Amino acid sequence: MAVNDDKMNKFYLAINHYAEEQRKKIEQEVSEFKQRELDEAEVEVLTEAYRLIQKEMAEMRNGISREMAQREMEGRKELLAKRQSITAKVFERANNALIEYTQKSEYTALLKKFAAELSKTFTKPGTVLCIKKEDEKYQELIKEAFGKDCTFKINPDIHIGGIRAYNSQMGISADITLDSMLEDQREWFAENSGMAIV
């Protein structure tokens, strides 16, 4: 019976040893499975965090770009308003200086010169010379310099001075007023004043 007990003990030992090995193997597999799952979860979490960080950074960059564009646009608006204000002041001063000039004796010489220039173009009768109300006193002087038959018309659009002419028969008109000459300087001023907005 001792042999049987010994065999039985060996059998139990073998079974216990096999069970222990199986238990260790299962624990190892479970541990490896857990580690794999943890590694995959970690990679997934890191990937999601990276995406979230990239998204946040893109939103921040877009927000900064929008803010910079807004500031630049506001800066340009301010510069444009300043430029318009300076231009208006410059042209207001020029306008006032020209009006003062029309009060001087040199202005009559300029009106004669303008009338003589117009007479070269307006060669047929029926020419109408437009002047401002304050220049009515120079009609005879202008007519003499024009040298041809003409009529005069007071034009309320002429504020500074000079002469506008038209001849319906010839189908032409000309404007050599100080008003239009000053207005023509606006484009030149914008290009050459150094106040360009870039």
Side-chain angles (χ1 to χ4, degrees):
M1 215 134 168
V3 172
N4 262 347
D5 281 342
D6 191 40
K7 279 186 183 181
M8 201 63 130
N9 273 341
K10 283 185 182 179
F11 178 71
Y12 282 131
L13 280 174
I15 287 176
N16 280 339
H17 181 69
Y18 177 76
E20 185 64 26
E21 282 181 2
Q22 289 301 311
R23 185 183 63 78
K24 285 181 181 177
K25 187 177 176 186
I26 288 170
E27 283 178 351
Q28 179 68 29
E29 286 176 359
V30 167
S31 176
E32 287 174 2
F33 177 76
K34 282 182 181 177
Q35 190 59 47
R36 248 190 341 267
E37 288 295 311
L38 281 172
D39 289 347
E40 286 176 12
E42 185 180 356
V43 166
E44 198 173 303
V45 166
L46 287 173
T47 303
E48 188 57 35
Y50 176 78
R51 281 192 200 120
L52 184 61
I53 289 169
Q54 291 301 314
K55 182 181 174 192
E56 289 293 321
M57 285 176 62
E59 286 176 6
M60 284 173 59
R61 276 194 297 271
N62 289 340
I64 290 168
S65 293
R66 278 193 302 273
E67 187 178 331
M68 292 300 288
Q70 182 70 26
R71 284 183 182 178
E72 184 178 342
M73 190 169 73
E74 287 170 7
R76 284 179 181 265
K77 281 182 184 176
E78 285 177 26
L79 282 174
L80 184 60
K82 187 77 170 168
R83 183 177 83 173
Q84 288 172 337
S85 171
I86 291 169
T87 301
K89 286 178 185 172
V90 166
F91 277 84
E92 183 182 346
R93 286 182 188 159
N95 185 70
N96 293 339
L98 287 170
I99 289 172
E100 282 180 31
Y101 172 76
T102 63
Q103 310 304 313
K104 297 179 180 176
S105 59
E106 294 90 4
Y107 177 59
T108 56
L110 185 66
L111 286 174
K112 283 184 189 179
K113 180 182 169 204
F114 287 170
E117 285 178 23
L118 289 169
S119 72
K120 295 173 190 172
T121 306
F122 293 87
T123 55
K124 294 187 178 176
T127 300
V128 177
L129 300 178
C130 302
I131 55 174
K132 70 176 183 174
K133 176 87 172 134
E134 294 81 1
D135 289 349
E136 274 185 303
K137 58 188 173 200
Y138 303 123
Q139 282 184 10
E140 283 305 313
L141 178 134
I142 294 168
K143 188 172 187 173
E144 188 180 307
F146 188 68
K148 298 177 184 70
D149 189 39
C150 63
T151 56
F152 285 89
K153 181 179 176 187
I154 302 304
N155 189 325
D157 293 337
I158 302 172
H159 301 289
I160 303 172
I163 306 170
R164 274 192 199 128
Y166 66 89
N167 188 311
S168 300
Q169 184 182 350
M170 293 177 71
I172 59 171
S173 65
D175 184 340
I176 49 175
T177 60
L178 297 173
D179 303 67
S180 63
M181 289 176 188
L182 179 61
E183 196 58 37
D184 289 345
Q185 293 302 306
R186 284 188 184 272
E187 187 176 334
W188 178 90
F189 183 78
E191 290 173 5
N192 295 286
S193 66
M195 295 193 302
I197 296 173
V198 270

